[in-house]
Amino acid sequence: MASSPILTTSLPQKQLTTSSSAGGFRLPPPEKLAILLDKSESVDLVKQIHAAILRRNLFLHPYHPVLNLKLHRAYASHAKIRHSLSLIHQTIDPDLFLIAAAINTASTNGLRDQAFLLYFQLLSSETVPNEFTFSSILKSCSSQSVKAIHTHVLKFGLGLDPYVATGLVDVYSRGGDVVSAQKVFDRMPERSIVSSTAMITCYAKQGNVESARALFESVPETERDIVSWNVMIDGYAQHGFPSEALMLFQKLLAKGKPKPDEITVVATLSACSQIGALESGRWIHVFIKRSRIRVNVKVCTALIDMYSKCGSLEEAVSVFNDAPRKDVVAWNAMIAGYAMHGYSQEALRLFDEMQGTAGLQPTDITFIATLQACAHAGLVKEGVRILLGRAGRLKQAYEIIRNMEIEADSVVWSSLLGSCKLDGDFVLGKEIAEYLIGRNITNSGTYVLLSNIYASVGNYEGVAKVRSLMKEKTIVKEPGVSAIEVDDRVHEFRAGDRNHLQSKQIYTMVRKMSERIKSCGYVPDTNAVLQDLEETEKEESLEVHSERLAIAYGLISTKPGSPLRIFKNLRVCSDCHTVTKLISKITGRKIVMRDRNRFHHFVDGSCSCGGFCGPCKRRTEQILSDWSHSPW
């Protein structure tokens, strides 16, 4: 027999031999070898046992199929996938259990083609697949191939098997086929926590958090594991319900079991970052340390992202510097943090350091974050190779992006389209938006920006056309929400909101703000109102924008002179940006506002964006020069 690395290793005398009366040695019986394989702590021992089996011709032993299966699993457990799968090719007439195990190994390790090849070999041998075969091959299925495998499942009468049905629900869930997943789930005679979690995942991925929560609540509390809690918390966080995610996390803590893990805190930190819940995020950071949750690179990245988006760049930098290992995602988060706070030079320094010292290759996200840094600071020279929009060179940017070898995504296009609106280049903006819609490179923001462009020039027929198109394609505009955290509680406001318990006091402060700034020369920028309204109605509409309500609540609920932190899910409008600068001047307060694009630090009538965020282009110096610094 030809030698190979698998066969030439010497035998471990203490484990593989037993003494005879003559002082020699003999190989343990096959049953003992099987036990040794199950308990093997190193791949060397597995190779030695494998070599012994071949040298002693144990492949002819009746117990050999069991040994073969044990060998396969042992190699797979030590990440020797090639060795594991090669066994099936070296075995004459492999049985169903070995083939099914090989399919599972291939599927688990992302070798989908090999998994399907083994499955087809099984079918051609006229061996009848069992439930383990199908639960294994389903791990390799796509949204297209699952239909064929589902047909085979029904043909062999395994449609009601709990493991197979759970696998089907999981595949349909990953492909977004809620209807098929629901049908399989409804027909299951017995539902485990695994199958229920798969269905909850399906609902959550599609944004149907109400159905996800209803199913989650239907599972007995004693059966809910941390995976089901994580899916539900993450579902809320990923689909615009951060407050609900935080409340569910608090409920989990109150229950005491199961214990949160790193996935739990990553999802919860994401919720904190969305609404600017800095104190809640800090509490979770302390909780991670006290609970000894493993601080892997994902947890570090979530903390960096949370601190950056909640306005504490210093703490984000501290987490980044202390991280024992940083992958490209962590670097991206820190670059984006510098960019959104206006520290463009620091972002560019980190961009160079990532490629140099760390030796990491930039991703699309890296370039987008770095370009944002350039755009926020007007660094045309640094950003010209990819995006030039923020410095007024829109046509050149359009041509570069349009002709790139790698197709730009909707984020890049939306940035350019937003620049057209800010620079007043409505002709080019219309051209770009229609180009994107025609090629289906869009998100809801693209339609909204096009609608805004039409409205800015008084073309309300165009606005109606865009809205009709959005309705036709079932595209829903995300409602504007502004939030402020006061005394560890997050308060959210929508435009014209009167649901807050202190609504009367809030609106009194809103009127007081409006009177004060108007008395000093402020004139509302009604061009920011995109509805076809009378001028007076437009002014009234501006007064009750969500960010102004949040600021008003902050002014009546916090100590004079203390900073306010406002978080808005959409871009701040030009008029609210001007008003916030003026309020910071007359109240002597620092107001930190995070919108969809960046942070704005308003101090003494100025903004940190330095004139490169669009709204800052409006001059307010003449108004400010006449104002006193007296507090309200």
Side-chain angles (χ1 to χ4, degrees):
M1 180 179 291
S3 63
S4 73
I6 298 178
L7 306 180
T8 57
T9 311
S10 61
L11 299 180
Q13 300 301 314
K14 292 183 179 179
Q15 294 189 9
L16 295 188
T17 64
T18 57
S19 299
S20 67
S21 58
F25 67 88
R26 61 185 176 82
L27 194 70
E31 295 82 358
K32 176 66 173 177
L33 291 177
I35 295 173
L36 289 174
L37 285 169
D38 282 339
K39 296 181 178 180
S40 62
E41 296 181 355
S42 71
V43 71
D44 287 338
L45 176 59
V46 179
K47 288 180 179 179
Q48 290 162 0
I49 296 174
H50 189 182
I53 290 171
L54 293 174
R55 287 171 178 166
R56 299 302 177 93
N57 290 328
L58 288 182
F59 53 85
L60 300 176
H61 194 281
Y63 202 74
H64 181 255
V66 176
L67 284 176
N68 229 10
L69 182 61
K70 299 287 187 180
L71 273 172
H72 171 88
R73 290 177 176 171
Y75 276 130
S77 69
H78 291 291
K80 295 296 180 182
I81 308 305
R82 181 177 64 83
H83 293 71
S84 178
L85 294 177
S86 68
L87 285 172
I88 198 166
H89 303 300
Q90 299 169 6
T91 304
I92 300 172
D93 193 23
D95 62 13
L96 172 62
F97 299 101
L98 182 60
I99 298 175
I103 293 172
N104 186 63
T105 297
S107 295
T108 303
N109 289 277
L111 303 173
R112 296 183 178 182
D113 291 343
Q114 289 194 41
F116 272 101
L117 180 61
L118 289 167
Y119 177 70
F120 293 140
Q121 289 175 352
L122 174 66
L123 294 180
S124 64
S125 69
E126 298 184 358
T127 303
V128 178
N130 62 7
E131 61 274 19
F132 183 62
T133 311
F134 284 116
S135 62
S136 298
I137 192 61
L138 282 168
K139 297 174 185 176
S140 287
C141 284
S142 65
S143 55
Q144 291 76 35
S145 59
V146 66
K147 297 290 186 182
I149 299 300
H150 195 171
T151 302
H152 292 183
V153 168
L154 298 176
K155 176 183 176 180
F156 291 105
L158 293 170
L160 298 180
D161 180 86
Y163 295 102
V164 177
T166 299
L168 285 167
V169 172
D170 180 60
V171 179
Y172 283 127
S173 170
R174 284 189 272 117
D177 189 347
V178 182
V179 175
S180 297
Q182 183 72 66
K183 286 181 180 178
V184 175
F185 184 75
D186 288 344
R187 292 170 183 165
M188 292 179 69
E190 296 180 10
R191 297 172 184 172
S192 65
I193 182 59
V194 178
S195 59
S196 295
T197 301
M199 195 65 228
I200 293 169
T201 303
C202 186
Y203 287 135
K205 285 181 66 175
Q206 297 301 309
N208 187 355
V209 291
E210 291 183 2
S211 296
R213 184 61 182 269
L215 180 55
F216 175 81
E217 294 294 343
S218 71
V219 177
E221 287 188 4
T222 54
E223 294 182 15
R224 294 177 198 159
D225 58 11
I226 193 58
V227 178
S228 60
W229 283 90
N230 289 346
V231 167
M232 196 65 247
I233 293 171
D234 188 61
Y236 277 134
Q238 294 298 321
H239 292 282
F241 298 92
S243 297
E244 286 79 359
L246 290 174
M247 286 189 287
L248 191 59
F249 176 67
Q250 291 169 355
K251 184 177 179 180
L252 170 62
L253 295 179
K255 295 289 182 185
K257 289 184 179 181
K259 297 294 184 183
D261 59 14
E262 55 265 30
I263 298 174
T264 320
V265 296
V266 167
T268 311
L269 287 168
S270 173
C272 292
S273 70
Q274 291 175 48
I275 54 177
L278 178 59
E279 294 306 320
S280 297
R282 284 173 173 160
W283 187 92
I284 293 170
H285 194 177
V286 173
F287 173 79
I288 291 170
K289 295 176 180 178
R290 289 179 177 174
S291 304
R292 296 184 178 179
I293 291 175
R294 189 165 65 96
V295 184
N296 57 24
V297 68
K298 290 185 178 179
V299 173
C300 285
T301 302
L303 286 167
I304 293 167
D305 183 67
M306 181 277 294
Y307 279 127
S308 295
K309 291 180 177 176
C310 289
S312 183
L313 186 63
E314 298 82 2
E315 288 174 282
V317 173
S318 176
V319 172
F320 179 78
N321 290 338
D322 293 341
R325 189 177 73 85
K326 296 185 276 283
D327 63 5
V328 68
V329 182
W331 284 85
N332 289 347
M334 195 65 254
I335 292 171
Y338 277 129
M340 72 175 68
H341 282 271
Y343 290 87
S344 301
Q345 293 295 345
E346 288 298 311
L348 293 172
R349 178 189 61 77
L350 214 59
F351 176 71
D352 292 335
E353 187 179 323
M354 183 189 79
Q355 298 173 82
T357 307
L360 296 172
Q361 289 297 317
T363 65
D364 291 345
I365 302 300
T366 317
F367 283 112
I368 290 171
T370 308
L371 288 169
Q372 285 177 337
C374 297
H376 293 338
L379 301 174
V380 176
K381 184 177 180 181
E382 289 79 357
V384 70
R385 288 173 297 171
I386 306 175
L387 183 61
L388 312 172
R390 283 286 186 265
R393 300 167 70 179
L394 299 171
K395 189 67 177 178
Q396 186 181 355
Y398 177 43
E399 294 302 327
I400 289 175
I401 295 172
R402 187 174 178 178
N403 295 316
M404 285 195 307
E405 292 184 7
I406 300 175
E407 186 174 346
D409 61 12
S410 59
V411 176
V412 175
W413 282 114
S414 294
S415 296
L416 183 62
L417 192 57
S419 298
C420 292
K421 179 179 180 294
L422 296 175
D423 281 22
D425 195 338
F426 303 117
V427 175
L428 181 60
K430 180 175 176 291
E431 180 184 344
I432 294 171
E434 291 176 348
Y435 171 83
L436 299 179
I437 292 172
R439 287 160 179 75
N440 200 32
I441 314 173
T442 56
N443 53 28
S444 62
T446 307
Y447 289 91
V448 173
L449 279 169
L450 178 58
S451 176
N452 292 352
I453 287 171
Y454 280 130
S456 297
V457 293
N459 184 354
Y460 293 105
E461 183 179 339
V463 173
K465 180 181 176 182
V466 173
R467 289 180 177 174
S468 176
L469 187 61
M470 290 176 70
K471 186 176 181 180
E472 179 184 327
K473 295 190 175 185
T474 63
I475 296 170
V476 180
K477 177 185 176 183
E478 185 179 0
V481 179
S482 293
I484 181 171
E485 187 178 23
V486 177
D487 296 331
D488 297 334
R489 183 180 176 187
V490 177
H491 302 260
E492 294 183 341
F493 299 90
R494 289 171 171 77
D497 199 338
R498 290 185 178 271
N499 294 324
H500 198 278
L501 293 176
Q502 293 179 260
S503 180
K504 184 177 180 180
Q505 297 94 315
I506 291 170
Y507 274 81
T508 298
M509 178 56 74
V510 167
R511 287 191 294 271
K512 186 176 181 180
M513 285 193 294
S514 298
E515 291 170 1
R516 181 65 186 275
I517 60 180
K518 284 181 180 179
S519 68
C520 298
Y522 158 73
V523 177
D525 179 12
T526 54
N527 288 326
V529 180
L530 304 177
Q531 290 83 18
D532 188 10
L533 303 173
E534 295 296 328
E535 202 67 15
T536 303
E537 293 176 306
K538 288 184 177 181
E539 290 186 18
E540 292 173 351
S541 173
L542 288 171
E543 284 186 355
V544 294
H545 274 193
S546 62
E547 51 266 64
R548 297 200 201 181
L549 297 179
I551 291 172
Y553 179 69
L555 290 173
I556 66 173
S557 305
T558 59
K559 295 179 180 179
S562 60
L564 302 179
R565 299 177 187 272
I566 311 296
F567 299 85
K568 186 172 182 179
N569 62 333
L570 303 179
R571 188 179 187 129
V572 61
C573 77
S574 59
D575 189 71
C576 286
H577 189 277
T578 299
V579 167
T580 307
K581 285 199 293 184
L582 303 180
I583 293 173
S584 75
K585 177 73 174 180
I586 62 178
T587 61
R589 297 223 195 189
K590 178 179 180 180
I591 302 175
V592 180
M593 182 181 293
R594 192 197 84 192
D595 66 8
R596 170 164 283 180
N597 286 4
R598 63 171 298 157
F599 270 90
H600 302 268
H601 296 257
F602 299 94
V603 179
D604 198 28
S606 298
C607 178
S608 61
C609 60
F612 288 98
C613 71
C616 282
K617 292 180 179 179
R618 298 192 57 199
R619 295 181 57 84
T620 57
E621 286 82 358
Q622 291 181 349
I623 299 175
L624 291 172
S625 64
D626 296 331
W627 286 6
S628 67
H629 294 263
S630 60
W632 289 17

